[in-house]
Amino acid sequence: MAQHSYRIGIDIGGTFTDIVIARDDGLIETRKVPSTPDDYSRGIAEALGRLVADHGSTPDRINGIVHATTVATNAILEYKGACTGLLTTEGFRDVLEMRRLRIPVLYDLQYDKPKPLAARHLRLEVRERLGPDGTVRMPLNEEDVREAAAQFRQQKVEAVAISFLHAYANPDHEIAAEAILRAELGEDVYICRGSEILPEIREYERTSTVVVNAYIGPVVRNYAAALTTRLASIGVTCPVEMMHSGGGIMRLDSAVKRAASLVESGPAAGVIACARLVSGGNEPSIISFDMGGTTAKAALIEDGEPARTTEYEVGAGINLSSKLVKGGGYPIKMPFIDVSEIGAGGGSIVAIDRMNQVSVGPQSAGAYPGPVCYGLGGTQATLTDAFLTLGYINDVALAGGTFPLQADAGRAALNDQVARPLGLDLTKTARGVLTLAVTTMTRAVKAVSTYRGRDPRYSTLVAFGGNGPVVAAEVAKALGIRRVVIPRAAGVFSALGLLRSDVEQEFVRPSRRRAGELDDAGLAELYAELTEDGRRVLALEGYDLSRAEFHYAADLRYVGQAYELTVPARRLVFNELAELFHLEHERTYGHRSQKDQVHLVNARLTARLPLVAPTQRFGAAPPQRRTDRPVSFDETGTATVAVIGRADLDAFPRRGPFVIEEYDCTCVVGPGQTARLDDAGNIDIALEAA
């Protein structure tokens, strides 16, 4: 096998690190290894070293690694980012404090807005001023920048964000300030400019985005350096690419510069896998459901395309989609696949409060110490311990027998901490815990369906992740969904999605011309400059431009409006763009204007290099010992059900209840449900009508 080359997808989760190996002839193999939160790169290097040995190959045969990580997100959620300073225009020091007039919970008098990631004493002003068209109204006072650098040095700042008023129209002042800071502070301090990270209007969103980028930049840089060093130590020197939040991949160096684009990179990979491997454009409406050890995530895919957004908030706790809740976190104005995320995973802690109310999450036991049944030092009962008590998962070992469990300890924890204090039977308690968790998870699904005017009953629920197939039918039943699909390699599906993603980056340029001043020639010139930007960046990253595709879009609004709508720009003819905007405005808001002028705010370019990959085929599943076991599906009691493998199904529906046990996940098919294999090898579950 040593003559083959390999491309590897790696997705780090809260409990397991998922690895998918794609051989150059299309053969797919999967692995699950425990995550190493003390140093995630260590777990990756150790796993790759074992993989190379297992295949009788050499490290130089790995010709590409695509990676998704939660490092950036965790740094924000845990407030473990860098000590960050902000250099801004005189008079705009408190933009981060003033924010927008939005709060996530109405009528909550106790609401506290999140503290700025750059403390006030580290937000320094300099004298300079630009007009909205980029004209210089006050030159940059370079001495102010040097004084600010001295203060940053004294305060031991690790990162500096630069955000000057109207720098999107003219970056010269920010570029000059960056050069001075670099000379004064050295290479160790991470410095980024708003005009480079987000060259768009809206002062608060641009400032917030560049501050988030600076706050997590050193964390991502250190992680990238550690990963590169670890890989080199085992002889792996191939390019490393990262999944960004918009669903494309970029080189590791670019990810370090645009660290904010890595927020939600892991969830994006799973949605892309759904769109490419399950939907293929044939399913009119899919709801992806990804449940791991820490969170449950949902996204909407219509006609093969995931729902997307250009503004996302991170750090708001439970995220119920960008279009629903504002003001609870830190805005990032970048391309995102619009994912709803909620704190309900296998590691979610089950607890009783002072009012004797049971909660499941959002606190999680994570990878370490993990659920009690993992035997890694966890002491608090979790949802996984409830799964085990109900018989939903194997009570001996997970991951094909490679991860042993301590079943008695898990059951005892649930009994002592929850069942006994409530005076309930252990099995009934586990059933109640599952019901609570399912109720919580349905909120994530509703956020991308019901709350957007879509009826989930007419969608197919595609479930994956280590725990998604365990509860998928329960979630679907609660929402009235009639069909559930469990794809191949469901337990490592996000890692598989990494290997099915295109290289993709987005570029934007603001239009400096007023409404009515932009003709078709000016429009063509603007997009030509934007295309040149995209070609230059891709070439610097070493990509083959002969395969590059360039897709244009435009942000437009009526003169006087505060926000714009984005429409595709298939032809660079302004009147056609304006008509597309009129139609989109009518579709979105129910009306259009016949007299107001249309103004182009931003020109957008998506540069994409489509994936060229052989048709995939999965290797033989590793042998597993399966024995029938007692499972509790409802209040009627416990019954012994069959435990089978995916290969035991065929095109003819098999009636439940039974459990499908695989190397990377477990799928539960309940009473009144049927399951079969479709032509692609996916498990197709049909639920009875309510």
Side-chain angles (χ1 to χ4, degrees), residues 18-29:
D18 300 335
I19 300 177
V20 172
I21 309 102
R23 213 165 68 180
D24 54 8
D25 61 357
L27 183 68
I28 300 290
E29 295 187 28

Side-chain angles (χ1 to χ4, degrees), residues 174-185:
E174 286 195 353
I175 292 172
E178 181 185 23
I180 295 171
L181 290 177
R182 180 67 63 207
E184 295 287 331
L185 299 177

Side-chain angles (χ1 to χ4, degrees), residues 213-442:
N213 197 82
Y215 184 73
I216 61 179
V219 177
V220 173
R221 181 178 62 184
N222 293 342
Y223 173 73
L227 178 61
T228 303
T229 301
R230 289 275 189 185
L231 293 176
S233 70
I234 61 171
V236 177
T237 57
C238 66
V240 177
E241 294 170 309
M242 303 290 288
M243 166 66 73
H244 62 70
S245 309
I249 57 178
M250 59 170 55
R251 290 278 198 239
L252 188 59
D253 289 345
S254 291
V256 171
K257 292 179 182 177
R258 300 178 63 84
S261 68
L262 297 184
V263 175
E264 297 296 318
S265 69
V271 180
I272 289 296
C274 270
R276 301 279 168 83
L277 300 177
V278 178
S279 171
N282 297 321
E283 293 282 352
S285 177
I286 278 178
I287 296 173
S288 70
F289 177 70
D290 176 6
M291 181 186 173
T294 306
T295 59
K297 298 163 279 285
L300 180 67
I301 302 167
E302 293 181 301
D303 297 321
E305 281 298 317
R308 299 176 187 270
T309 181
T310 57
E311 186 176 333
Y312 199 83
E313 287 194 4
V314 63
I318 294 175
N319 168 46
L320 290 179
S321 164
S322 69
K323 302 185 188 310
L324 299 175
V325 180
K326 297 284 190 179
Y330 304 102
I332 303 174
K333 203 169 189 304
M334 285 181 168
F336 276 79
I337 288 180
D338 206 1
V339 176
S340 171
E341 188 167 359
I342 206 159
S348 293
I349 293 171
V350 183
I352 302 176
D353 63 19
R354 292 178 297 176
M355 303 297 292
N356 250 19
Q357 299 295 310
V358 179
S359 63
V360 183
Q363 291 76 25
S364 175
Y368 288 99
V372 176
C373 63
Y374 283 6
L376 300 176
T379 58
Q380 294 177 284
T382 67
L383 183 56
T384 293
D385 297 308
F387 288 161
L388 186 146
T389 301
L390 292 171
Y392 278 23
I393 62 174
N394 193 304
D395 63 357
V396 176
L398 300 176
T402 63
F403 194 84
L405 298 180
Q406 295 182 5
D408 290 341
R411 295 189 188 102
L414 190 64
N415 186 59
D416 295 343
Q417 297 172 22
V418 186
R420 188 176 299 163
L422 294 176
L424 296 176
D425 168 77
L426 177 59
T427 302
K428 185 177 291 187
T429 299
R431 169 60 49 185
V433 167
L434 174 62
T435 302
L436 277 175
V438 168
T439 301
T440 301
M441 287 181 279
T442 58

Side-chain angles (χ1 to χ4, degrees), residues 615-631:
T615 302
Q616 67 181 30
R617 55 189 179 86
F618 288 86
Q624 289 186 240
R625 296 178 59 187
R626 300 185 179 95
T627 57
D628 296 353
R629 62 172 176 259
V631 181

